[in-house]
Amino acid sequence: EAQVTQNPRYLITVTGKKLTVTCSQNMNHEYMSWYRQDPGLGLRQIYYSMNVEVTDKGDVPEGYKVSRKEKRNFPLILESPSPNQTSLYFCASSLSNVWTAASGGNQPQHFGDGTRLSIL
Amino acid sequence: AQSVAQPEDQVNVAEGNPLTVKCTYSVSGNPYLFWYVQYPNRGLQFLLKYITGDNLVKGSYGFEAEFNKSQTSFHLKKPSALVSDSALYFCAVSPHSSNTGKLIFGQGTTLQVKP
């Protein structure tokens, strides 16, 4: 089954304790992205990756890091979490950059089920 | 600034009645437009998209959306609502001018369908 898998689904932790949220997709997608969802704000992009070893900042990258060593994995790293990073996080992937005409049109993004992080 | 607006936090509809969830956008150039649905404790699921061509786009679960360039709107519609349609709906736009693959999301609209 085609899917995007995030772990953990829920995490409560304390300020300053490094954590990693893993994301894995089994669709051989080139493009992966991380979003955070906050009430009244919709989803905002944190980081994205066009392909292996190619990552870049989204709209709200402060306090986060990512890596893309393999095509299927795109972990989100919080080196020193703070309470303002308490949120619901989603990883997403798509066949290619969503606007590239060469991809045959725009590919919808496939989302994981989310990771709810609480930073105390 | 590029943005997407969903003016209603919640839409309430009786089962069997038509529903509309509104979305307007502000981007430079021609946009690519999407609707996603989110059920409790789940990620977003793709419903439909507008790239080019017919202004009326049909998608999953009987949903459709109408692209109106002059009003910069992309409202989601369904002729007959089901209780199971109750969920959180997001409109999103991918600007042509962006090569980041970023989707700009609206704030979300909760659809409540009552029996």
Side-chain angles (χ1 to χ4, degrees):
Chain A
E1 180 190 348
Q3 58 186 1
V4 178
T5 303
Q6 295 178 227
N7 279 297
R9 293 290 313 279
Y10 305 91
L11 179 63
I12 301 174
T13 187
V14 296
T15 299
K17 186 175 180 183
K18 181 179 177 180
L19 67 92
T20 299
V21 184
T22 63
C23 174
S24 180
Q25 50 92 5
N26 63 359
M27 296 166 279
N28 201 35
H29 283 171
E30 290 182 351
Y31 181 89
M32 297 185 75
S33 180
W34 275 102
Y35 295 88
R36 59 179 288 175
Q37 182 181 5
D38 300 291
L41 296 177
L43 280 79
R44 294 176 293 167
Q45 190 182 53
I46 303 171
Y47 267 94
Y48 65 95
S49 170
M50 297 287 199
N51 214 323
V52 175
E53 301 293 3
V54 181
T55 65
D56 211 341
K57 296 177 181 178
D59 291 326
V60 288
E62 294 78 20
Y64 304 95
K65 284 173 56 177
V66 293
S67 69
R68 188 91 182 273
K69 294 186 171 52
E70 307 162 284
K71 200 170 189 179
R72 63 183 293 127
N73 295 323
F74 190 46
L76 179 70
I77 303 155
L78 286 71
E79 293 271 4
S80 183
S82 62
N84 64 10
Q85 293 177 298
T86 292
S87 188
L88 180 57
Y89 292 84
F90 288 101
C91 179
S93 72
S94 70
L95 190 60
S96 64
N97 182 311
V98 295
W99 67 276
T100 305
S103 71
N106 282 274
Q107 306 298 322
Q109 294 188 20
H110 299 256
F111 285 80
D113 283 341
T115 295
R116 188 168 290 283
L117 284 185
S118 294
I119 317 293
L120 304 177
Chain B
Q2 300 179 110
S3 64
V4 175
Q6 294 179 240
E8 302 150 317
D9 288 337
Q10 181 156 326
V11 170
N12 297 311
V13 176
E15 189 173 32
N17 282 2
L19 69 88
T20 299
V21 182
K22 295 179 180 176
C23 171
T24 58
Y25 64 90
S26 173
V27 299
S28 54
N30 295 320
Y32 297 142
L33 294 156
F34 301 82
W35 274 101
Y36 286 84
V37 59
Q38 184 180 27
Y39 297 101
N41 298 316
R42 300 300 303 275
L44 280 69
Q45 295 178 32
F46 168 74
L47 275 181
L48 51 79
K49 66 182 180 183
Y50 173 81
I51 307 303
T52 186
D54 284 341
N55 289 341
L56 187 64
V57 178
K58 294 192 185 297
S60 307
Y61 312 121
F63 283 94
E64 56 191 29
E66 186 167 13
F67 172 63
N68 187 317
K69 189 172 183 178
S70 62
Q71 296 186 6
T72 61
S73 67
F74 189 55
H75 300 332
L76 181 70
K77 301 182 180 187
K78 188 172 182 182
S80 178
L82 300 172
V83 173
S84 57
D85 291 331
S86 298
L88 181 58
Y89 289 80
F90 287 98
C91 180
V93 62
S94 177
H96 277 219
S97 59
S98 166
N99 64 352
T100 69
K102 176 174 69 177
L103 286 174
I104 301 171
F105 284 87
Q107 309 94 304
T109 298
T110 298
L111 174 66
Q112 195 74 252
V113 181
K114 298 209 177 331

